[in-house]
Amino acid sequence: MEFPFDLNALLPERISVLDHNLTAGRKSLGRPDPQRQISTVIDELGKASAKAQQLAAPITSAPKLQSNRHHLYLLKEGESNGGRGVAVGFLKVGYKKLFLLDQQGAHVEIEPLCVLDFFVTENLQRHGYGLELFSYMLQHKRVEPVRMAYDRPSPKFLSFLEKHYGLKDSVPQVNNFVVFDGFFRDRSAVQHRKPVPRKVEGEIKPYSLTERDVVREEQKALPWPFARPARPPLSPPLSLPSQYSRSLSVDSSPSRGPPRPCPGPGAYRSQTPHSQYLENVTCRAKRTSSLNRSQISFN
């Protein structure tokens, strides 16, 4: 990919390693700020990579590289374009925390080095540039291809890994990352998390009367102020017996019996207030009736 500026002056090395600072080591030929031109190279290569992979939007750009701790390996061919050089391709890698499944189906929380984007311009493919770029990254990171995770690799990239590194048998995952057989070899046991067994659902029992009685007894045993006192029993309504109601009227009935003597003071100790009240009323009625008779006989 050609650009109107000099790539040899902007990127002095054949393969430049760029990070979030968007600088390729030393400043180029006295230019104080080459970041704008480097950003242009990264953005254009990112658009070409997204088009080749039929993606809706680029996954590699200068702003994204500045906001993440990723490394981008940019390969140039310095003799082309009249000695100004051309951009051949790039490889972006970075560490990501992933939740993967091993061969036994156990969950593994791990943060491996991942290949996030890989692209070589179409007119320069099958010339060994991709292998040169990938081999340089492996030496720079000191990592084996089988120990890396690959984010949504294209069919061409999968063929590339099988041809040059023998990576063929992959371990199925539920996300977009691909790992190959041998990725989980010699992994720390601390990183493995066993799947949580499901609880066996027992028979659902109805809320029996015995359980309700137990709940009532527990509520009775609760300490104050949580215990609820029982309600007092309702007292029967006050009513006067018919025989006392008839005795209140003097000479109201010809068939009344002989008057009973009034009880003494000590007799009220074993009576209720209500019965005492009725006895007092009866005694007063009897005394009044006797007084009226004596007055009639005297006259």
Side-chain angles (χ1 to χ4, degrees), residues 202-217:
E203 182 182 359
I204 300 177
K205 298 181 179 180
Y207 193 61
S208 62
L209 296 177
T210 305
E211 294 176 352
R212 295 177 185 175
D213 297 336
V214 172
V215 172
R216 292 195 188 101
E217 293 297 330

Side-chain angles (χ1 to χ4, degrees), residues 2-208:
E2 299 180 356
F3 293 93
F5 43 81
D6 191 357
L7 282 179
N8 291 323
L10 186 65
L11 304 171
E13 305 295 335
R14 180 176 174 82
I15 299 179
S16 301
V17 183
L18 305 176
D19 56 8
H20 64 282
N21 295 317
L22 300 183
T23 56
R26 60 184 179 86
K27 296 180 180 180
S28 51
L29 297 179
R31 295 178 181 177
D33 188 13
Q35 290 186 354
R36 179 176 300 178
Q37 294 178 344
I38 291 180
S39 299
T40 302
V41 175
I42 296 175
D43 292 341
E44 293 300 323
L45 288 175
K47 294 177 182 178
S49 176
K51 183 179 179 180
Q53 300 180 60
Q54 298 180 355
L55 301 177
I59 58 177
T60 299
S61 63
K64 291 182 180 180
L65 186 62
Q66 288 177 312
S67 60
N68 295 281
R69 295 290 181 177
H70 298 160
H71 281 156
L72 188 141
Y73 298 84
L74 199 153
L75 174 62
K76 71 168 187 179
E77 181 61 60
E79 288 78 14
S80 303
N81 193 20
R84 292 186 298 181
V86 294
V88 176
F90 71 93
L91 173 63
K92 185 175 71 171
V93 299
Y95 290 93
K96 279 187 171 294
K97 182 177 292 187
L98 303 177
F99 294 91
L100 303 177
L101 298 175
D102 62 5
Q103 291 89 339
Q104 289 73 32
H107 291 275
V108 180
E109 181 181 0
I110 195 171
E111 191 172 359
L113 183 65
C114 304
V115 176
L116 305 176
D117 201 0
F118 187 25
F119 173 72
V120 175
T121 55
E122 294 181 357
N123 59 333
L124 295 177
Q125 293 179 4
R126 302 184 182 278
H127 289 77
Y129 291 114
L131 181 59
E132 179 183 0
L133 190 59
F134 200 86
S135 299
Y136 184 90
M137 181 273 301
L138 294 178
Q139 294 178 3
H140 183 260
K141 291 294 186 181
R142 298 179 180 179
V143 65
E144 299 178 11
V146 71
R147 309 306 291 270
M148 301 181 67
Y150 302 87
D151 185 13
R152 291 175 293 186
S154 64
K156 289 184 178 181
F157 190 19
L158 292 175
S159 300
F160 171 86
L161 294 174
E162 182 181 358
K163 177 182 179 180
H164 297 287
Y165 299 101
L167 301 180
K168 181 180 180 180
D169 299 327
S170 61
V171 182
Q173 303 296 324
V174 296
N175 50 22
N176 296 323
F177 284 84
V178 174
V179 294
F180 295 92
D181 191 15
F183 175 84
F184 300 99
R185 186 181 67 249
D186 301 330
R187 294 290 181 182
S188 175
V190 180
Q191 295 172 337
H192 290 255
R193 298 201 297 185
K194 297 181 180 180
V196 180
R198 295 183 177 180
K199 295 183 179 180
V200 180
E201 296 183 356
E203 182 182 359
I204 300 177
K205 298 181 179 180
Y207 193 61
S208 62

